[in-house]
Coordinates of all heavy atoms in Angstrom, one line a residue:
M1 N 0.9 -1.2 0.0 CA 0.0 0.0 0.0 C 0.9 1.2 0.0 O 1.8 1.3 0.8 CB -0.9 0.0 1.2 CG -1.8 1.2 1.3 SD -2.9 1.0 2.7 CE -4.4 1.6 2.0
T2 N 0.6 2.2 -0.9 CA 1.4 3.4 -1.0 C 0.7 4.5 -0.1 O -0.5 4.6 -0.2 CB 1.4 3.9 -2.4 OG1 1.9 2.8 -3.2 CG2 2.3 5.0 -2.6
E3 N 1.5 5.2 0.6 CA 1.0 6.3 1.4 C 1.3 7.6 0.7 O 2.4 7.8 0.2 CB 1.6 6.3 2.8 CG 1.0 7.3 3.7 CD 1.5 7.1 5.1 OE1 2.0 6.0 5.5 OE2 1.3 8.0 5.9
Y4 N 0.4 8.5 0.7 CA 0.6 9.8 0.0 C 0.5 10.9 1.1 O -0.3 10.8 2.0 CB -0.5 10.0 -1.0 CG -0.4 9.0 -2.1 CD1 -1.2 7.9 -2.1 CD2 0.5 9.2 -3.2 CE1 -1.2 7.0 -3.1 CE2 0.5 8.2 -4.2 CZ -0.3 7.1 -4.1 OH -0.3 6.2 -5.1
S5 N 1.2 12.0 0.8 CA 1.1 13.2 1.7 C 0.8 14.3 0.7 O 1.3 14.4 -0.4 CB 2.3 13.4 2.5 OG 3.4 13.7 1.8
L6 N 0.1 15.3 1.2 CA -0.3 16.4 0.3 C -0.3 17.6 1.2 O -0.8 17.6 2.3 CB -1.7 16.2 -0.2 CG -2.2 17.1 -1.3 CD1 -1.3 17.0 -2.5 CD2 -3.6 16.7 -1.7
R7 N 0.4 18.7 0.8 CA 0.4 19.9 1.5 C -0.6 20.9 0.9 O -0.7 21.0 -0.3 CB 1.8 20.5 1.5 CG 2.8 19.7 2.3 CD 4.1 20.4 2.4 NE 4.9 19.5 3.2 CZ 6.2 19.7 3.3 NH1 6.8 20.7 2.8 NH2 6.9 18.8 4.0
Y8 N -1.3 21.6 1.7 CA -2.3 22.5 1.3 C -1.9 24.0 1.6 O -1.3 24.2 2.6 CB -3.7 22.3 2.0 CG -4.2 20.9 1.8 CD1 -4.2 20.0 2.8 CD2 -4.8 20.6 0.6 CE1 -4.8 18.7 2.7 CE2 -5.3 19.3 0.4 CZ -5.3 18.4 1.5 OH -5.8 17.2 1.3
T9 N -2.2 24.8 0.7 CA -2.0 26.3 0.9 C -3.4 26.9 0.9 O -4.1 26.8 -0.1 CB -1.2 26.8 -0.3 OG1 0.0 26.1 -0.3 CG2 -0.9 28.3 0.0
L10 N -3.7 27.6 2.0 CA -5.0 28.2 2.0 C -4.9 29.6 1.4 O -3.9 30.3 1.4 CB -5.4 28.5 3.5 CG -5.9 27.2 4.2 CD1 -6.2 27.5 5.7 CD2 -7.2 26.7 3.6
V11 N -6.0 30.0 0.7 CA -6.2 31.3 0.1 C -7.2 32.0 0.9 O -8.3 31.5 1.1 CB -6.6 31.1 -1.4 CG1 -6.8 32.5 -2.0 CG2 -5.6 30.3 -2.1
R12 N -6.9 33.2 1.3 CA -7.8 34.0 2.1 C -8.6 34.9 1.2 O -8.1 35.7 0.5 CB -7.1 34.8 3.2 CG -8.0 35.5 4.2 CD -7.2 36.0 5.4 NE -6.6 35.0 6.2 CZ -7.2 34.3 7.1 NH1 -8.5 34.4 7.2 NH2 -6.6 33.4 7.8
Y13 N -9.9 34.7 1.2 CA -10.8 35.5 0.4 C -11.3 36.7 1.2 O -11.5 37.8 0.6 CB -12.0 34.7 -0.1 CG -11.6 33.8 -1.2 CD1 -11.4 32.4 -1.0 CD2 -11.4 34.2 -2.5 CE1 -11.0 31.6 -2.0 CE2 -11.0 33.4 -3.5 CZ -10.8 32.0 -3.3 OH -10.5 31.2 -4.3
E14 N -11.6 36.5 2.4 CA -12.1 37.5 3.3 C -11.4 37.3 4.7 O -10.9 36.2 4.9 CB -13.6 37.5 3.5 CG -14.3 37.8 2.2 CD -15.8 37.6 2.4 OE1 -16.3 37.4 3.6 OE2 -16.6 37.8 1.5
E15 N -11.6 38.2 5.6 CA -11.1 38.0 6.9 C -11.6 36.7 7.6 O -10.8 36.0 8.2 CB -11.4 39.2 7.8 CG -10.6 40.4 7.6 CD -9.1 40.2 8.0 OE1 -8.9 39.6 9.1 OE2 -8.2 40.6 7.3
T16 N -12.9 36.4 7.4 CA -13.5 35.3 8.1 C -13.6 34.0 7.2 O -14.1 33.0 7.7 CB -14.8 35.7 8.6 OG1 -15.7 36.1 7.5 CG2 -14.7 36.8 9.6
R17 N -13.3 34.1 5.9 CA -13.5 33.0 5.0 C -12.2 32.5 4.4 O -11.5 33.4 3.8 CB -14.5 33.3 4.0 CG -15.9 33.7 4.5 CD -16.8 34.1 3.4 NE -17.6 32.9 3.1 CZ -18.7 33.0 2.4 NH1 -19.0 34.1 1.8 NH2 -19.4 32.0 2.2
T18 N -11.9 31.3 4.4 CA -10.8 30.7 3.7 C -11.2 29.6 2.8 O -12.2 28.9 3.1 CB -9.7 30.3 4.7 OG1 -10.2 29.3 5.5 CG2 -9.1 31.5 5.4
G19 N -10.4 29.3 1.8 CA -10.7 28.2 0.9 C -9.8 28.1 -0.2 O -8.8 28.9 -0.3
Y20 N -10.0 27.3 -1.2 CA -9.2 27.1 -2.3 C -10.0 27.5 -3.6 O -11.1 27.1 -3.7 CB -8.8 25.6 -2.5 CG -8.0 25.1 -1.3 CD1 -8.7 24.5 -0.2 CD2 -6.6 25.2 -1.2 CE1 -8.0 24.0 0.9 CE2 -6.0 24.7 -0.1 CZ -6.7 24.1 0.9 OH -6.0 23.7 2.0
S21 N -9.3 28.1 -4.5 CA -9.9 28.4 -5.8 C -9.9 27.1 -6.6 O -9.3 26.1 -6.2 CB -9.1 29.5 -6.5 OG -7.9 29.0 -6.9
A22 N -10.6 27.1 -7.7 CA -10.7 25.9 -8.6 C -9.3 25.5 -9.0 O -8.9 24.4 -9.0 CB -11.6 26.1 -9.7
Q23 N -8.5 26.5 -9.5 CA -7.2 26.3 -10.0 C -6.3 25.7 -8.8 O -5.5 24.7 -9.1 CB -6.5 27.5 -10.5 CG -7.2 28.1 -11.7 CD -8.4 29.0 -11.4 OE1 -8.8 29.2 -10.3 NE2 -9.0 29.5 -12.5
E24 N -6.4 26.2 -7.7 CA -5.6 25.7 -6.5 C -6.0 24.3 -6.1 O -5.2 23.5 -5.8 CB -5.6 26.7 -5.4 CG -4.9 28.0 -5.7 CD -5.3 29.1 -4.8 OE1 -6.5 29.1 -4.3 OE2 -4.5 30.0 -4.6
A25 N -7.3 24.1 -6.1 CA -7.9 22.8 -5.7 C -7.4 21.7 -6.6 O -6.9 20.7 -6.2 CB -9.4 22.8 -5.6
A26 N -7.5 22.0 -7.9 CA -7.0 21.1 -8.9 C -5.5 20.8 -8.8 O -5.1 19.7 -8.8 CB -7.3 21.6 -10.3
A27 N -4.7 21.9 -8.6 CA -3.3 21.7 -8.5 C -3.0 20.9 -7.2 O -2.1 20.0 -7.3 CB -2.6 23.1 -8.4
Q28 N -3.6 21.2 -6.1 CA -3.3 20.4 -4.9 C -3.7 19.0 -5.0 O -3.1 18.1 -4.4 CB -4.1 21.1 -3.7 CG -3.6 22.4 -3.3 CD -2.2 22.4 -2.7 OE1 -1.8 21.4 -2.1 NE2 -1.5 23.5 -2.9
A29 N -4.8 18.7 -5.8 CA -5.2 17.3 -6.0 C -4.4 16.6 -7.1 O -4.6 15.4 -7.3 CB -6.7 17.3 -6.3
G30 N -3.6 17.3 -7.8 CA -2.8 16.7 -8.9 C -3.6 16.5 -10.2 O -3.2 15.6 -11.0
M31 N -4.7 17.2 -10.3 CA -5.5 17.0 -11.5 C -5.6 18.2 -12.4 O -5.2 19.3 -11.9 CB -6.9 16.5 -11.2 CG -7.7 17.4 -10.3 SD -9.5 16.9 -10.0 CE -9.4 15.2 -9.6
T32 N -6.1 18.1 -13.6 CA -6.2 19.2 -14.5 C -7.6 19.9 -14.2 O -8.4 19.3 -13.6 CB -6.2 18.8 -16.0 OG1 -7.3 17.9 -16.2 CG2 -4.9 18.0 -16.3
L33 N -7.7 21.1 -14.7 CA -9.0 21.8 -14.6 C -10.1 21.0 -15.3 O -11.3 21.0 -14.9 CB -8.9 23.2 -15.1 CG -8.1 24.2 -14.2 CD1 -8.0 25.5 -14.8 CD2 -8.9 24.3 -12.8
E34 N -9.8 20.4 -16.4 CA -10.7 19.6 -17.1 C -11.2 18.4 -16.3 O -12.4 18.1 -16.3 CB -10.2 19.1 -18.5 CG -9.9 20.2 -19.5 CD -8.6 21.0 -19.2 OE1 -7.8 20.5 -18.5 OE2 -8.6 22.1 -19.8
E35 N -10.3 17.8 -15.6 CA -10.7 16.7 -14.7 C -11.6 17.2 -13.5 O -12.6 16.6 -13.2 CB -9.5 15.9 -14.1 CG -8.7 15.1 -15.2 CD -7.4 14.6 -14.7 OE1 -6.7 15.3 -13.9 OE2 -7.1 13.5 -15.1
L36 N -11.2 18.3 -13.0 CA -12.0 19.0 -12.0 C -13.4 19.3 -12.5 O -14.4 19.0 -11.8 CB -11.3 20.2 -11.5 CG -12.1 21.1 -10.4 CD1 -12.4 20.3 -9.2 CD2 -11.4 22.3 -10.1
Q37 N -13.5 19.8 -13.7 CA -14.8 20.1 -14.3 C -15.7 18.9 -14.4 O -16.9 18.9 -14.1 CB -14.6 20.8 -15.6 CG -15.9 21.2 -16.3 CD -16.7 22.3 -15.5 OE1 -16.1 23.1 -14.9 NE2 -18.0 22.2 -15.5
Q38 N -15.0 17.7 -14.8 CA -15.8 16.5 -14.9 C -16.3 16.0 -13.6 O -17.4 15.6 -13.5 CB -14.9 15.4 -15.5 CG -14.6 15.6 -17.0 CD -13.6 14.6 -17.5 OE1 -12.8 14.0 -16.7 NE2 -13.6 14.3 -18.8
C39 N -15.5 16.2 -12.5 CA -15.9 15.8 -11.2 C -17.1 16.7 -10.7 O -18.1 16.2 -10.1 CB -14.8 16.0 -10.2 SG -13.5 14.8 -10.4
L40 N -17.1 18.0 -11.1 CA -18.2 18.9 -10.8 C -19.4 18.5 -11.5 O -20.5 18.5 -10.9 CB -17.8 20.3 -11.1 CG -16.7 21.0 -10.2 CD1 -16.2 22.3 -10.8 CD2 -17.2 21.2 -8.8
E41 N -19.3 18.2 -12.8 CA -20.4 17.8 -13.6 C -21.1 16.5 -13.1 O -22.3 16.3 -13.2 CB -20.0 17.6 -15.1 CG -19.7 19.0 -15.7 CD -19.1 18.8 -17.1 OE1 -18.9 17.7 -17.6 OE2 -18.7 19.9 -17.7
E42 N -20.3 15.6 -12.6 CA -20.8 14.3 -12.1 C -21.3 14.4 -10.7 O -21.8 13.5 -10.1 CB -19.7 13.2 -12.1 CG -19.3 12.8 -13.5 CD -20.4 12.1 -14.3 OE1 -21.1 11.3 -13.6 OE2 -20.5 12.2 -15.5
G43 N -21.1 15.6 -10.0 CA -21.5 15.8 -8.7 C -20.7 15.1 -7.6 O -21.1 14.9 -6.5
L44 N -19.4 14.8 -8.0 CA -18.5 14.2 -7.0 C -18.0 15.1 -5.9 O -17.6 14.7 -4.8 CB -17.3 13.6 -7.7 CG -17.7 12.4 -8.7 CD1 -16.5 12.0 -9.5 CD2 -18.3 11.2 -7.9
V45 N -18.0 16.4 -6.2 CA -17.8 17.4 -5.2 C -18.8 18.6 -5.4 O -19.2 18.8 -6.5 CB -16.3 18.0 -5.3 CG1 -15.3 17.0 -4.8 CG2 -16.0 18.5 -6.7
T46 N -19.1 19.2 -4.3 CA -20.1 20.3 -4.4 C -19.5 21.5 -3.6 O -20.0 21.8 -2.5 CB -21.4 19.9 -3.8 OG1 -21.3 19.4 -2.5 CG2 -22.1 18.9 -4.7
P47 N -18.6 22.3 -4.2 CA -18.0 23.4 -3.5 C -19.1 24.6 -3.4 O -20.0 24.6 -4.2 CB -16.8 23.8 -4.3 CG -17.2 23.4 -5.7 CD -18.0 22.1 -5.5
R48 N -18.9 25.5 -2.5 CA -19.8 26.6 -2.4 C -19.3 27.7 -3.3 O -18.2 27.6 -3.8 CB -19.8 27.1 -0.9 CG -18.6 27.8 -0.5 CD -18.7 28.3 1.0 NE -17.7 29.2 1.3 CZ -16.4 28.9 1.7 NH1 -16.1 27.6 1.8 NH2 -15.6 29.8 2.0
R49 N -20.1 28.7 -3.6 CA -19.7 29.8 -4.4 C -19.5 31.0 -3.5 O -20.3 31.3 -2.6 CB -20.8 30.1 -5.4 CG -20.9 29.1 -6.5 CD -21.4 29.7 -7.8 NE -21.4 28.7 -8.8 CZ -20.4 28.6 -9.7 NH1 -19.4 29.3 -9.7 NH2 -20.5 27.6 -10.6
H50 N -18.4 31.7 -3.8 CA -18.1 33.0 -3.1 C -19.0 34.0 -3.6 O -19.7 33.9 -4.6 CB -16.6 33.3 -3.3 CG -16.1 34.4 -2.5 ND1 -16.2 35.7 -2.9 CD2 -15.6 34.4 -1.2 CE1 -15.7 36.5 -1.9 NE2 -15.3 35.7 -0.9
N51 N -19.1 35.1 -2.9 CA -20.0 36.3 -3.3 C -19.7 36.7 -4.7 O -20.6 37.2 -5.4 CB -19.8 37.4 -2.3 CG -20.3 37.1 -0.9 OD1 -21.1 36.2 -0.8 ND2 -19.8 37.8 0.1
N52 N -18.4 36.6 -5.1 CA -18.1 37.0 -6.5 C -18.4 36.0 -7.6 O -18.1 36.1 -8.7 CB -16.6 37.4 -6.6 CG -15.7 36.2 -6.3 OD1 -16.1 35.1 -6.2 ND2 -14.4 36.6 -6.0
G53 N -19.0 34.8 -7.2 CA -19.4 33.8 -8.1 C -18.4 32.7 -8.3 O -18.6 31.7 -8.9
H54 N -17.2 32.9 -7.8 CA -16.1 31.9 -7.9 C -16.3 30.7 -7.0 O -16.9 30.9 -5.9 CB -14.7 32.5 -7.7 CG -14.3 33.5 -8.7 ND1 -13.3 33.2 -9.6 CD2 -14.8 34.7 -8.9 CE1 -13.2 34.3 -10.4 NE2 -14.0 35.2 -10.0
L55 N -16.0 29.5 -7.4 CA -16.0 28.3 -6.6 C -15.0 28.4 -5.5 O -13.9 28.8 -5.7 CB -15.8 27.1 -7.4 CG -16.9 26.8 -8.4 CD1 -16.5 25.6 -9.3 CD2 -18.3 26.5 -7.8
V56 N -15.4 28.0 -4.3 CA -14.5 27.9 -3.1 C -14.5 26.5 -2.6 O -15.6 26.0 -2.2 CB -14.8 28.9 -2.1 CG1 -13.9 28.8 -0.9 CG2 -14.9 30.3 -2.6
F57 N -13.3 25.8 -2.6 CA -13.2 24.5 -2.1 C -12.7 24.4 -0.7 O -11.7 25.1 -0.4 CB -12.3 23.7 -3.0 CG -12.8 23.5 -4.4 CD1 -12.7 24.5 -5.4 CD2 -13.5 22.3 -4.8 CE1 -13.2 24.4 -6.6 CE2 -14.0 22.1 -6.1 CZ -13.9 23.2 -7.0
T58 N -13.3 23.6 0.1 CA -12.8 23.4 1.5 C -11.6 22.4 1.4 O -11.4 21.7 0.4 CB -13.9 22.8 2.4 OG1 -14.2 21.5 1.9 CG2 -15.1 23.7 2.5
E59 N -10.9 22.3 2.5 CA -9.8 21.3 2.6 C -10.3 19.9 2.4 O -9.7 19.1 1.8 CB -9.1 21.4 4.0 CG -7.8 20.6 4.1 CD -7.0 21.0 5.3 OE1 -7.1 22.1 5.8 OE2 -6.3 20.1 5.8
A60 N -11.5 19.6 3.0 CA -12.1 18.3 2.8 C -12.4 18.0 1.4 O -12.2 16.9 0.9 CB -13.4 18.1 3.7
E61 N -12.9 19.0 0.6 CA -13.2 18.8 -0.8 C -11.9 18.6 -1.6 O -11.9 17.8 -2.5 CB -14.0 20.0 -1.3 CG -15.4 20.0 -0.8 CD -16.1 21.3 -1.0 OE1 -15.4 22.4 -1.0 OE2 -17.3 21.3 -1.0
V62 N -10.8 19.3 -1.2 CA -9.6 19.1 -1.9 C -9.1 17.7 -1.6 O -8.6 17.0 -2.6 CB -8.5 20.2 -1.5 CG1 -7.2 19.8 -2.1 CG2 -9.0 21.5 -2.0
D63 N -9.2 17.2 -0.4 CA -8.8 15.8 -0.1 C -9.6 14.8 -0.9 O -9.1 13.9 -1.4 CB -9.0 15.6 1.4 CG -8.5 14.2 1.8 OD1 -7.3 13.9 1.6 OD2 -9.2 13.5 2.4
R64 N -10.9 15.1 -1.0 CA -11.8 14.2 -1.8 C -11.3 14.2 -3.3 O -11.3 13.1 -3.9 CB -13.2 14.7 -1.7 CG -14.2 13.8 -2.4 CD -15.6 14.4 -2.1 NE -16.7 13.6 -2.8 CZ -17.3 12.5 -2.2 NH1 -16.9 12.1 -1.0 NH2 -18.2 11.9 -2.9
L65 N -11.0 15.4 -3.8 CA -10.5 15.4 -5.2 C -9.2 14.7 -5.3 O -9.0 14.0 -6.4 CB -10.3 16.9 -5.6 CG -11.5 17.7 -5.9 CD1 -11.2 19.2 -6.0 CD2 -12.3 17.2 -7.1
W66 N -8.4 14.7 -4.3 CA -7.1 14.0 -4.4 C -7.4 12.5 -4.4 O -6.7 11.8 -5.2 CB -6.3 14.4 -3.1 CG -5.0 13.7 -3.0 CD1 -3.8 13.9 -3.7 CD2 -4.7 12.6 -2.1 NE1 -2.8 13.1 -3.3 CE2 -3.3 12.2 -2.3 CE3 -5.4 11.9 -1.2 CZ2 -2.7 11.2 -1.6 CZ3 -4.8 10.9 -0.5 CH2 -3.5 10.5 -0.7
R67 N -8.3 12.0 -3.6 CA -8.7 10.6 -3.6 C -9.3 10.2 -5.0 O -8.9 9.1 -5.5 CB -9.7 10.3 -2.5 CG -9.1 10.4 -1.1 CD -10.2 10.2 -0.1 NE -9.8 10.7 1.2 CZ -9.0 10.0 2.0 NH1 -8.6 8.8 1.7 NH2 -8.7 10.5 3.2
I68 N -10.1 11.1 -5.5 CA -10.7 10.8 -6.9 C -9.6 10.7 -7.9 O -9.6 9.8 -8.8 CB -11.7 11.9 -7.2 CG1 -13.0 11.8 -6.3 CG2 -12.1 11.8 -8.7 CD1 -13.9 12.9 -6.3
H69 N -8.7 11.6 -7.9 CA -7.6 11.6 -8.8 C -6.8 10.3 -8.8 O -6.4 9.7 -9.8 CB -6.7 12.8 -8.6 CG -5.5 12.8 -9.6 ND1 -5.6 13.0 -10.9 CD2 -4.2 12.6 -9.3 CE1 -4.4 12.9 -11.5 NE2 -3.5 12.7 -10.6
R70 N -6.5 9.9 -7.5 CA -5.8 8.6 -7.4 C -6.5 7.4 -7.9 O -6.0 6.5 -8.6 CB -5.4 8.4 -5.9 CG -4.5 9.4 -5.3 CD -3.2 9.4 -6.0 NE -2.3 10.5 -5.6 CZ -2.0 11.5 -6.3 NH1 -2.4 11.6 -7.5 NH2 -1.3 12.5 -5.8
L71 N -7.8 7.4 -7.7 CA -8.7 6.3 -8.3 C -8.7 6.4 -9.8 O -8.7 5.4 -10.5 CB -10.1 6.4 -7.8 CG -10.3 6.1 -6.3 CD1 -11.7 6.4 -5.8 CD2 -10.0 4.6 -6.0
L72 N -8.7 7.6 -10.4 CA -8.6 7.8 -11.8 C -7.3 7.3 -12.4 O -7.3 6.6 -13.4 CB -8.9 9.2 -12.2 CG -10.3 9.8 -12.2 CD1 -10.3 11.3 -12.4 CD2 -11.1 9.2 -13.4
S73 N -6.2 7.8 -11.8 CA -4.9 7.6 -12.4 C -4.2 6.3 -12.0 O -3.5 5.7 -12.9 CB -4.0 8.8 -12.1 OG -3.8 8.8 -10.7
E74 N -4.4 5.8 -10.8 CA -3.7 4.7 -10.4 C -4.5 3.4 -10.4 O -4.0 2.3 -10.8 CB -3.1 4.9 -8.9 CG -2.1 6.0 -8.9 CD -1.6 6.3 -7.5 OE1 -1.9 5.5 -6.6 OE2 -0.9 7.3 -7.4
V75 N -5.8 3.5 -10.1 CA -6.6 2.3 -10.1 C -7.3 2.2 -11.5 O -7.8 1.2 -11.9 CB -7.7 2.3 -9.0 CG1 -8.5 1.1 -8.9 CG2 -6.9 2.5 -7.6
E76 N -7.3 3.3 -12.2 CA -7.9 3.4 -13.5 C -9.4 3.1 -13.6 O -9.9 2.5 -14.5 CB -7.2 2.6 -14.5 CG -5.7 3.0 -14.7 CD -4.9 2.2 -15.7 OE1 -5.5 1.3 -16.3 OE2 -3.7 2.5 -15.8
L77 N -10.1 3.6 -12.5 CA -11.6 3.5 -12.5 C -12.1 4.7 -13.4 O -11.5 5.7 -13.5 CB -12.1 3.6 -11.1 CG -11.7 2.5 -10.1 CD1 -12.3 2.8 -8.8 CD2 -12.3 1.2 -10.7
D78 N -13.3 4.5 -13.9 CA -14.0 5.6 -14.6 C -14.8 6.3 -13.6 O -15.0 5.9 -12.4 CB -14.8 5.1 -15.8 CG -16.0 4.2 -15.4 OD1 -16.4 4.2 -14.2 OD2 -16.5 3.4 -16.2
L79 N -15.4 7.5 -14.0 CA -16.1 8.4 -13.1 C -17.3 7.7 -12.5 O -17.7 8.0 -11.3 CB -16.4 9.7 -13.7 CG -15.2 10.6 -13.9 CD1 -15.7 11.9 -14.7 CD2 -14.6 11.0 -12.6
N80 N -18.0 6.9 -13.2 CA -19.2 6.2 -12.7 C -18.8 5.2 -11.6 O -19.5 5.2 -10.6 CB -19.9 5.4 -13.8 CG -20.5 6.3 -14.8 OD1 -21.0 7.4 -14.5 ND2 -20.6 5.8 -16.1
A81 N -17.7 4.5 -11.7 CA -17.2 3.6 -10.7 C -16.7 4.4 -9.5 O -17.0 4.0 -8.3 CB -16.1 2.7 -11.2
I82 N -16.1 5.5 -9.7 CA -15.6 6.3 -8.6 C -16.8 6.9 -7.9 O -16.7 7.0 -6.6 CB -14.7 7.5 -9.2 CG1 -13.4 6.8 -9.7 CG2 -14.4 8.5 -8.1 CD1 -12.5 7.8 -10.4
E83 N -17.8 7.3 -8.6 CA -19.0 7.8 -7.9 C -19.6 6.7 -6.9 O -19.9 7.0 -5.7 CB -20.1 8.1 -8.9 CG -21.3 8.8 -8.3 CD -22.3 9.2 -9.3 OE1 -22.2 8.9 -10.5 OE2 -23.3 9.9 -8.9
V84 N -19.6 5.5 -7.3 CA -20.0 4.4 -6.4 C -19.1 4.2 -5.2 O -19.5 4.1 -4.1 CB -20.2 3.0 -7.2 CG1 -20.4 1.9 -6.2 CG2 -21.2 3.2 -8.2
V85 N -17.8 4.2 -5.5 CA -16.8 4.1 -4.4 C -16.9 5.2 -3.4 O -16.9 5.0 -2.2 CB -15.4 4.0 -5.0 CG1 -14.3 4.2 -3.9 CG2 -15.1 2.8 -5.8
M86 N -17.0 6.4 -3.9 CA -17.1 7.6 -3.0 C -18.4 7.6 -2.2 O -18.4 7.9 -1.0 CB -17.0 8.9 -3.8 CG -15.6 9.0 -4.5 SD -14.2 8.8 -3.4 CE -14.1 10.3 -2.6
H87 N -19.5 7.1 -2.8 CA -20.8 7.0 -2.1 C -20.7 6.0 -1.0 O -21.1 6.3 0.1 CB -21.9 6.6 -3.1 CG -23.2 6.4 -2.5 ND1 -24.0 7.5 -2.0 CD2 -23.9 5.3 -2.2 CE1 -25.1 7.0 -1.4 NE2 -25.0 5.7 -1.5
L88 N -20.1 4.9 -1.3 CA -19.9 3.9 -0.2 C -19.0 4.4 0.9 O -19.2 4.1 2.1 CB -19.3 2.6 -0.8 CG -20.3 1.8 -1.8 CD1 -19.5 0.7 -2.4 CD2 -21.5 1.3 -1.0
R89 N -17.9 5.1 0.5 CA -17.0 5.7 1.5 C -17.7 6.7 2.4 O -17.4 6.8 3.6 CB -15.8 6.3 0.8 CG -14.8 6.8 1.7 CD -13.7 7.5 0.9 NE -12.6 8.0 1.8 CZ -12.7 9.1 2.5 NH1 -13.8 9.9 2.4 NH2 -11.7 9.5 3.3
D90 N -18.7 7.4 1.8 CA -19.3 8.5 2.6 C -20.4 7.9 3.6 O -20.8 8.6 4.5 CB -20.1 9.4 1.6 CG -19.1 10.3 0.8 OD1 -17.9 10.4 1.2 OD2 -19.5 10.8 -0.2
Q91 N -20.8 6.7 3.4 CA -21.8 6.1 4.3 C -21.2 5.6 5.6 O -20.2 5.3 5.8 CB -22.5 5.0 3.6 CG -23.4 5.5 2.5 CD -24.3 4.5 1.9 OE1 -24.2 3.3 2.2 NE2 -25.2 4.9 1.1

């Protein structure tokens, strides 16, 4: 079993709100923006929207994207199979 570590960099949008932009979330998870877009379209992550309309990802969502990316790239599951795996993991 391979163990992975990932370092996160928080982006401060306001004094009381922190999160990751779409570009930063994708980079931290090791995926492309296109892969992130596919995850959003499939409903695998549901980030909130900031007042300016931009997506804001929490640390938990970035971690979830990281797991999804590993399933895509290392286990070579498709998004439908990943949706089932993530659903089972969430229960």
Side-chain angles (χ1 to χ4, degrees):
M1 179 177 220
T2 305
E3 187 173 345
Y4 298 96
S5 65
L6 190 62
R7 294 189 180 169
Y8 300 107
T9 304
L10 283 176
V11 176
R12 190 168 294 282
Y13 286 99
E14 296 176 2
E15 281 292 316
T16 59
R17 298 177 102 169
T18 58
Y20 302 90
S21 70
Q23 293 84 359
E24 291 162 331
Q28 292 293 333
M31 61 176 40
T32 65
L33 286 174
E34 291 78 18
E35 290 171 324
L36 174 60
Q37 182 64 37
Q38 290 175 335
C39 291
L40 292 169
E41 290 170 2
E42 292 292 325
L44 295 173
V45 290
T46 54
R48 71 180 193 277
R49 288 210 178 262
H50 190 267
N51 294 337
N52 62 13
H54 293 253
L55 294 174
V56 179
F57 294 80
T58 65
E59 189 169 332
E61 290 164 334
V62 172
D63 184 56
R64 184 177 180 88
L65 288 170
W66 178 77
R67 292 176 197 280
I68 291 167
H69 177 68
R70 295 298 171 249
L71 291 170
L72 279 169
S73 63
E74 294 176 11
V75 183
E76 297 181 2
L77 294 178
D78 63 21
L79 287 178
N80 291 327
I82 290 172
E83 185 175 10
V84 171
V85 169
M86 298 307 284
H87 176 73
L88 291 172
R89 185 181 180 281
D90 292 342
Q91 289 187 353

